Amino acid sequence: MLKVNKLYKDFGDLKVLKNVNLEIKSGEKVVVVGPSGSGKSTLLRCLNLLEQPTSGEIFFEDQEITKPKIDLNLIREQMGMVFQQFNLFSNLNVLDNLILAPLKRDKLKKQEAEERAYNLLNRIDLADKANAYPRQLSGGQQQRIAIIRAMMMDPKVLLFDEPTSALDPEMVGEVLDLMTELAESGMTMIVVSHEMGFAKQVANRIMFMDEGQIVEESYNPADFFENPKEIRTQQFLSKVL
Amino acid sequence: MPMLTAKFLEDFQSVFFTGENWKYLANGFKITIQVTFFAFLIGLVFGIILAVIRVAHKDLKPSWRNPSGFLLNLLNKIANIYITVIRGTPTTIQLLIMFNVILISLDNLPLVAILTFGLNSAAYMAEIFRSGIQAVSKGEKEAARSLGLNYLQSMRHVVLPQAFRNCLPAFGNEVITLFKETSISGFIGLIDLTRGANILVSNTFKAAPPYFAAAMIYLIVVYGLEHLFNFIEKRYLHA
Ligand SMILES: Nc1ncnc2c1ncn2[C@@H]1O[C@H](COP(=O)(O)OP(=O)(O)OP(=O)(O)O)[C@@H](O)[C@H]1O
Ligand SMILES: [Mg+2]
């Protein structure tokens, strides 16, 4: 469903991604770990073209999306993204946060959008917050709403960039639970996160990034954490765990 | 001191309650308010347009090679020159040029003043608005784009409403500045509050009452505007 070929990304003189190659199949749950500054966020942001790659190709459902003249908005609609800082629209209440994109992108009619919004809100037990503004909610509530906001567009893949690292510890669980539930429902997910428990329980594959490259990859997350092969992975894990 | 006060009150009475003298101030005040109000509307709308052009140019980095990029580059150049010129020259000169050169065939003095002050204020509002837009969280803009909203949709529904709120205090100041600045309208013969007071002085040979009365009116309105904007700000922030 997603294929990345020889992806490079520079910011001026800084080479952030250096020849990243990967292929992700529908239904996979991939967790990406790596030290700060290794290019994890940049990789995710290149996937939905929030950053323009310097060179290389990205294919989404067999369509090359790095070609010029591609309708980026149509691509982004199909790839949800969840951010570290939640990024709910602070001028809109929860319901309007949820229905804005489906309405403006002509994906749903108003009534359908609201119905879908309430269904999702009920699933996360926050229907009573439909009229609240983001600043009136806890971090955990905001992040769960950000996740269902991405779900409103019925995306084919969800990208998560450290979704729990801005949360107070007691709220991490509720967000990971929701992500686990999504994973179990078959959603394709790429998750940058250092939550080892989540990785072991949910991921079918784990990738270690360092200095702009995928250094190690494993289809057995538990094994990856216990017996990392590369020295750089060992050093990193010994610091984090 | 009591003597002086008594004299002032006597003059005041003789100036304002002789014939219809007070009408000079009343009508002048009406003009001042009219000019301020419509100039503010023009400044607001045109200022937002200028600001959006400049921000869009910065965000989108358009190429001169395709038609819409060419247009945006061109508009941005024009906006920059416009803002530089307006902010770099005195409003009085702008008023005189509008009256004597650009709008020479327009013999509607209030309209000349409205257009001049409106177009002048737009340049200042554009700068206010631009910083208001830039203060909106980058993350929210990206979240909007990541959901598939295009640039204009994310501007319209996410960025501008927040920018507007960010700018409210600065808008208040701009209205007050604009309101006081209209007192140069007399340069083109428009009888606003200041000019009305001036005429009264030359008719009655008494300077203090008309000028103090005019000053008082300006002061009360400014005070009122300050409170109005504080009120709107509070309402808006807690909405
Ligand atoms: N827009 C940008 N302009 C310039 N440099 C950038 C930009 N975005 C990221 N970088 C740089 O690219 C490098 C990789 O950043 P990135 O955010 O992808 O790392 P990361 O692996 O996500 O790190 P973290 O764990 O801290 O989030 C860093 O050195 C960062 O400073
Ligand atoms: Mg990051």
Side-chain angles (χ1 to χ4, degrees):
Chain A
M1 113 168 315
L2 255 178
K3 191 161 187 257
V4 176
N5 262 343
K6 302 200 183 73
L7 182 68
Y8 287 80
K9 174 68 188 174
D10 306 343
F11 289 110
D13 289 338
L14 186 68
K15 297 193 180 337
V16 176
L17 296 181
K18 304 172 219 170
N19 193 14
V20 173
N21 296 281
L22 59 93
E23 187 170 357
I24 288 166
K25 295 198 175 59
S26 184
E28 276 202 89
K29 296 99 191 41
V30 178
V31 165
V32 182
V33 298
S36 178
S38 57
K40 305 177 301 291
S41 298
T42 305
L43 174 60
L44 282 195
R45 297 159 54 80
C46 280
L47 292 179
N48 70 352
L49 298 165
L50 280 180
E51 298 288 357
Q52 199 60 42
T54 306
S55 69
E57 295 151 357
I58 301 172
F59 293 86
F60 178 55
E61 309 241 278
D62 296 327
Q63 183 189 17
E64 188 190 336
I65 61 174
T66 33
K67 275 198 303 223
K69 302 234 160 107
I70 281 281
D71 182 353
L72 293 185
N73 300 318
L74 200 63
I75 303 297
R76 291 194 188 123
E77 254 182 48
Q78 306 173 63
M79 296 195 199
M81 187 161 206
V82 176
F83 302 83
Q84 186 174 351
Q85 300 297 338
F86 330 136
N87 295 339
L88 292 179
F89 307 133
S90 42
N91 58 312
L92 299 177
N93 68 22
V94 167
L95 184 63
D96 288 334
N97 261 278
L98 295 176
I99 65 177
L100 178 68
L103 291 188
K104 296 302 155 191
R105 298 293 302 164
D106 286 328
K107 234 182 129 72
L108 298 173
K109 299 225 173 22
K110 179 135 201 236
Q111 201 192 338
E112 299 167 331
E114 287 182 358
E115 228 165 79
R116 188 172 165 80
Y118 274 105
N119 279 339
L120 288 167
L121 281 171
N122 277 323
R123 250 173 80 180
I124 60 172
D125 277 330
L126 287 177
D128 57 327
K129 299 290 185 193
N131 295 312
Y133 281 83
R135 75 188 109 82
Q136 299 166 323
L137 303 173
S138 74
Q141 292 172 330
Q142 290 191 49
Q143 191 62 301
R144 287 185 291 140
I145 285 163
I147 293 171
I148 64 169
R149 179 176 69 178
M151 296 294 296
M152 284 292 292
M153 296 301 280
D154 201 12
K156 297 191 171 122
V157 53
L158 278 182
L159 313 172
F160 293 81
D161 192 359
E162 305 204 32
T164 55
S165 51
L167 292 174
D168 292 338
E170 71 270 20
M171 293 171 183
V172 170
E174 59 190 73
V175 171
L176 290 180
D177 287 348
L178 175 59
M179 290 169 62
T180 306
E181 205 185 304
L182 283 177
E184 280 162 1
S185 75
M187 177 57 81
T188 311
M189 296 165 57
I190 306 175
V191 184
V192 173
S193 170
H194 294 153
E195 294 291 338
M196 199 174 52
F198 176 81
K200 280 185 185 161
Q201 189 192 343
V202 174
N204 72 305
R205 169 150 55 134
I206 189 152
M207 284 178 186
F208 171 67
M209 263 187 97
D210 192 21
E211 295 181 356
Q213 290 177 317
I214 297 172
V215 175
E216 184 170 349
E217 189 175 18
S218 160
Y219 281 88
N220 184 343
D223 179 59
F224 168 89
F225 286 109
E226 274 138 42
N227 310 302
K229 301 204 168 43
E230 301 289 327
I231 299 202
R232 281 196 276 176
T233 319
Q234 293 163 6
Q235 286 169 342
F236 169 74
L237 289 178
S238 71
K239 269 181 233 150
V240 194
L241 303 184
Chain B
M1 196 63 198
M3 288 279 288
L4 262 173
T5 319
K7 166 99 172 53
F8 180 82
L9 285 176
E10 198 179 297
D11 284 355
F12 191 86
Q13 243 178 4
S14 78
V15 167
F16 289 106
F17 298 101
T18 311
E20 301 211 304
N21 272 351
W22 60 273
K23 279 202 171 166
Y24 282 101
L25 290 197
N27 292 337
F29 179 61
K30 225 167 78 188
I31 291 285
T32 294
I33 293 291
Q34 256 172 22
V35 170
T36 306
F37 179 75
F38 289 108
F40 176 65
L41 288 189
I42 293 177
L44 194 64
V45 172
F46 194 44
I48 291 175
I49 294 172
L50 287 172
V52 170
I53 289 173
R54 298 193 67 194
V55 173
H57 179 266
K58 186 158 176 263
D59 288 350
L60 300 174
K61 301 182 185 69
S63 134
W64 283 97
R65 261 168 292 170
N66 63 56
S68 55
F70 185 90
L71 184 67
L72 186 54
N73 277 318
L74 190 68
L75 286 174
N76 180 59
K77 282 252 183 304
I78 295 172
N80 283 342
I81 294 171
Y82 181 83
I83 291 170
T84 309
V85 169
I86 294 285
R87 302 209 317 164
T89 54
T91 316
T92 314
I93 295 285
Q94 292 165 16
L95 184 64
L96 290 171
I97 290 176
M98 285 291 263
F99 177 64
N100 290 303
V101 185
I102 298 172
L103 299 176
I104 182 116
S105 55
L106 183 70
D107 61 352
N108 179 336
L109 286 181
L111 191 56
V112 172
I114 287 169
L115 287 172
T116 307
F117 291 116
L119 294 177
N120 172 278
S121 184
Y124 292 90
M125 299 250 209
E127 290 301 281
I128 294 172
F129 220 72
R130 192 166 65 113
S131 54
I133 291 175
Q134 274 160 355
V136 175
S137 119
K138 190 163 164 274
E140 287 183 44
K141 296 181 203 174
E142 285 185 344
R145 299 311 299 280
S146 80
L147 287 163
L149 296 177
N150 66 32
Y151 184 75
L152 282 178
Q153 288 171 326
S154 66
M155 268 285 168
R156 157 97 179 66
H157 299 286
V158 177
V159 179
L160 291 184
Q162 294 187 49
F164 211 80
R165 196 174 62 188
N166 296 340
C167 290
L168 266 177
F171 275 157
N173 290 335
E174 177 58 23
V175 179
I176 289 169
T177 304
L178 178 61
F179 171 67
K180 290 185 296 184
E181 207 162 44
T182 60
S183 72
I184 60 171
S185 298
F187 274 97
I188 60 167
L190 178 64
I191 305 178
D192 70 328
L193 180 56
T194 302
R195 185 62 185 259
N198 232 342
I199 293 174
L200 263 184
V201 173
S202 31
N203 286 357
T204 61
F205 302 109
K206 296 203 168 72
Y211 286 147
F212 278 121
M216 206 59 202
I217 296 173
Y218 280 113
L219 186 61
I220 290 168
V221 173
V222 167
Y223 186 80
L225 284 172
E226 260 169 15
H227 280 256
L228 178 69
F229 270 87
N230 280 341
F231 175 77
I232 297 176
E233 220 175 291
K234 287 214 182 78
R235 276 295 287 267
Y236 208 15
L237 289 181
H238 295 144

